[in-house]
């Protein structure tokens, strides 16, 4: 007991200092709305830095796997380029590319700073923002080109995407090599499986069949891989199928992502919301 008292006597000054500092900071934080806002801003910066530090450590240990994925992707692109070169002479190919002009889509890459998969409304935080050319509603794809989500908010240096594992997520998908399409959403049950609903009763989806995007969505280009049919069943009225689709993107392992932006998106949206169009949709 005597040693305990001696220990307390030796450290009580430090403990008292820490307690007084905590009380002072608490009083300062409550003194005005301005100080509350300043402290909240500082705390957000600290949290962001900590997330970034741990994300960097995690990325370091996954570099081998990501390099293998990138190498496989480069190999696929090299094979496709070789096919183009065999199909046409360089002069014809150059002429074709000039006729095409600028691509409808633009691409960027980003690292995942934070990502959740165990909630009903999961989000992905990325280390790219407005200053890097990232804007809201850009598609987010895994490194091998599979659907992962889309951007919903941006600051100058960061952006947040709605994960495909979010019960508010919606996109259109179809069975590959067919015209049967439906709505892609997550039911909040399995983080590796999404649902393809409202699929025609004539579609007859089969296990293992590939599911891709339709291109109808404002976020995703056509034929982006979503996953593969795991099971399917007709609804009670036997008028439509509901298929469970195993995701191609490993959502719990996302380290790097590809962002895709539709250059025509805002022009199309402005047109759809114009007075000329609205006057034809009013009751």
């Amino acid at each position: 007991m005597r040693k305990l008292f001696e220990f307390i006597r030796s450290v009580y000054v430090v403990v008292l200092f820490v307690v007084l500092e905590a009380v002072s900071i608490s009083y300062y934080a409550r003194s005005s709305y301005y100080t509350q806002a300043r402290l909240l801003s500082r705390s957000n910066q600290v949290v962001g830095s900590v997330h970034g530090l741990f994300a960097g450590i995690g990325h370091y240990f996954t570099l081998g796997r990501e390099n293998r994925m990138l190498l496989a992707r480069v190999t696929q692109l090299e094979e496709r380029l070789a096919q183009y070169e065999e199909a046409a002479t360089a002069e014809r190919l150059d002429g074709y590319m000039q006729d095409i002009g600028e691509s409808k889509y633009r691409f960027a890459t980003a690292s995942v700073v934070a990502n959740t998969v165990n909630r009903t409304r999961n989000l992905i935080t990325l280390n790219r923002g407005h200053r890097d050319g990232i804007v809201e509603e850009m598609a987010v794809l895994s490194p091998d080109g599979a659907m992962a989500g889309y951007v919903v908010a941006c600051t100058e240096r960061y952006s947040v995407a709605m994960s495909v594992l979010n019960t508010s997520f919606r996109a259109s998908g179809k069975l590959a090599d067919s015209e049967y399409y439906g709505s892609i959403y997550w039911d909040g049950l399995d983080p590796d499986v999404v649902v393809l609903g409202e699929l025609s009763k004539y579609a007859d989806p089969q296990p293992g069949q590939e599911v891709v995007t339709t291109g109808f969505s404002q976020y995703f280009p056509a034929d982006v891989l979503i996953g593969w049919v795991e099971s399917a069943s007709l609804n009670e009225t036997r008028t439509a199928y509901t298929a469970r689709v195993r995701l191609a993107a490993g959502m719990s392992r996302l380290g790097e992502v590809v962002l895709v932006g539709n250059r025509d998106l805002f022009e199309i949206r402005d047109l759809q919301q114009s007075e000329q169009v609205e006057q034809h949709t009013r009751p």
Side-chain angles (χ1 to χ4, degrees), residues 7-219:
F7 173 75
I8 293 174
R9 187 172 58 183
S10 66
V11 300
Y12 84 94
V13 175
V14 176
V15 173
L16 182 61
F17 173 78
V18 172
V19 170
L20 291 176
E21 283 291 314
V23 171
S24 301
I25 293 173
S26 177
Y27 179 77
Y28 174 72
R30 292 182 174 87
S31 61
S32 68
Y33 290 115
Y34 173 75
T35 55
Q36 290 178 18
R38 287 291 303 273
L39 285 174
L40 180 61
S41 174
R42 292 291 184 183
S43 64
N44 286 339
Q45 290 180 8
V46 171
V47 170
S49 299
V50 171
H51 276 306
L53 174 63
F54 282 105
I57 294 172
H59 290 164
Y60 176 80
F61 287 106
T62 59
L63 285 177
R65 178 176 58 82
E66 291 175 0
N67 283 338
R68 288 192 294 272
M69 293 174 63
L70 289 173
L71 183 59
R73 185 67 172 167
V74 169
T75 302
Q76 292 177 356
L77 295 175
E78 288 287 352
E79 290 178 356
R80 187 172 299 179
L81 178 60
Q83 291 174 352
Y84 290 153
E85 290 175 344
E86 291 176 3
T89 64
E91 184 177 350
R92 288 171 57 193
L93 186 59
D94 288 343
Y96 175 69
M97 295 304 292
Q98 289 174 3
D99 291 338
I100 292 177
E102 188 178 48
S103 170
K104 178 181 177 180
Y105 297 99
R106 59 188 183 86
F107 297 82
T109 60
S111 297
V112 175
V113 174
N115 178 31
T116 60
V117 297
N118 57 355
R119 304 174 184 172
T120 55
R121 295 189 174 183
N122 294 292
L123 300 172
I124 306 167
T125 304
L126 308 173
N127 70 338
R128 295 286 184 271
H130 284 311
R131 73 178 187 183
D132 307 296
I134 307 305
V135 296
E136 290 79 0
E137 303 186 14
M138 290 184 77
V140 179
L141 311 180
S142 65
D144 52 355
M147 184 175 73
Y150 55 80
V151 176
V152 293
C154 290
T155 62
E156 282 300 300
R157 298 190 299 133
Y158 293 94
S159 56
V160 172
M162 180 186 293
S163 168
V164 65
L165 301 180
N166 188 309
T167 51
S168 297
F169 180 92
R170 292 293 183 274
S172 58
K174 69 172 186 174
L175 300 175
D177 301 322
S178 81
E179 299 303 318
Y180 295 113
Y181 60 88
S183 177
I184 291 288
Y185 62 93
W186 187 51
D187 57 7
L189 298 179
D190 188 336
D192 294 316
V193 176
V194 293
V195 177
L196 174 59
E198 304 169 7
L199 193 59
S200 169
K201 65 179 181 180
Y202 302 109
D204 190 25
Q206 298 297 317
Q209 193 168 3
E210 196 172 86
V211 178
V212 297
T213 57
T214 61
F216 300 156
S217 168
Q218 58 190 356
Y219 309 112

Side-chain angles (χ1 to χ4, degrees), residues 140-149 164-165 191-192 225-228 246-254:
V140 179
L141 311 180
S142 65
D144 52 355
M147 184 175 73
V164 65
L165 301 180
D192 294 316
L225 179 62
I226 299 172
W228 302 272
R246 181 156 294 274
L247 286 170
M251 298 302 296
S252 62
R253 302 187 304 274
L254 282 183

Side-chain angles (χ1 to χ4, degrees), residues 178-283:
S178 81
E179 299 303 318
Y180 295 113
Y181 60 88
S183 177
I184 291 288
Y185 62 93
W186 187 51
D187 57 7
L189 298 179
D190 188 336
D192 294 316
V193 176
V194 293
V195 177
L196 174 59
E198 304 169 7
L199 193 59
S200 169
K201 65 179 181 180
Y202 302 109
D204 190 25
Q206 298 297 317
Q209 193 168 3
E210 196 172 86
V211 178
V212 297
T213 57
T214 61
F216 300 156
S217 168
Q218 58 190 356
Y219 309 112
F220 299 96
D223 298 320
V224 170
L225 179 62
I226 299 172
W228 302 272
V229 174
E230 193 171 69
S231 62
S233 59
L234 283 166
N235 59 13
E236 293 181 358
T237 58
R238 304 187 69 80
T239 56
Y241 274 101
T242 297
R244 297 189 65 78
V245 179
R246 181 156 294 274
L247 286 170
M251 298 302 296
S252 62
R253 302 187 304 274
L254 282 183
E256 305 292 328
V257 295
V258 177
L259 296 108
V260 185
N262 185 344
R263 298 181 191 273
D264 301 333
L265 175 61
F266 296 105
E267 181 179 349
I268 293 171
R269 182 164 298 163
D270 289 343
L271 177 61
Q272 291 173 337
Q273 296 174 353
S274 65
E275 278 191 32
Q276 294 92 327
V277 173
E278 285 188 353
Q279 69 184 359
H280 294 288
T281 58
R282 292 172 187 155

